[in-house]
Amino acid sequence: MLSISSIVAILGSVALAKAQLTCGGGGSFEVGDIHANLGTQTLGPRSARTIVQGSGQICIVNRAPAATVTVDDFLINNAISALLNFCCPGETCSGGQDKITASSGNVIDLSVQDLGQDCSA
């Protein structure tokens, strides 16, 4: 059984994660096209990676000017799932953005968006 302090800590982390999410974007995509099944991603300084999935795309951006950042699959896929659950209640969605803090402390931008939207550092 979880203690009260453990439950409060879990709820606090969920609230913090949702506070970083922002919903909306240009266009729309089919929610069923997006799958939270990516592997670990490594991005060089000021670089972006676009992963096309059906009518939508996942955009992962490292804005750090001098750091190569590796973000593990657990963090990426949890962020994608949280974003879809929070921002996309229907069959289609205009997308959303989240921030992921890598184990190095660097913050990576992640968005789920309509196919063809800008994904650049």
Side-chain angles (χ1 to χ4, degrees), residues 33-79:
D33 286 349
I34 303 298
H35 305 285
N37 60 359
L38 301 182
T40 296
Q41 303 289 313
T42 300
L43 290 93
R46 295 187 193 211
S47 67
R49 178 157 302 132
T50 303
I51 298 100
V52 174
Q53 293 186 341
S55 61
Q57 64 188 30
I58 298 166
C59 176
I60 305 170
V61 179
N62 175 15
R63 298 189 192 287
T68 295
V69 180
T70 298
V71 184
D72 70 54
D73 56 344
F74 179 79
L75 291 173
I76 292 170
N77 293 322
N78 279 346

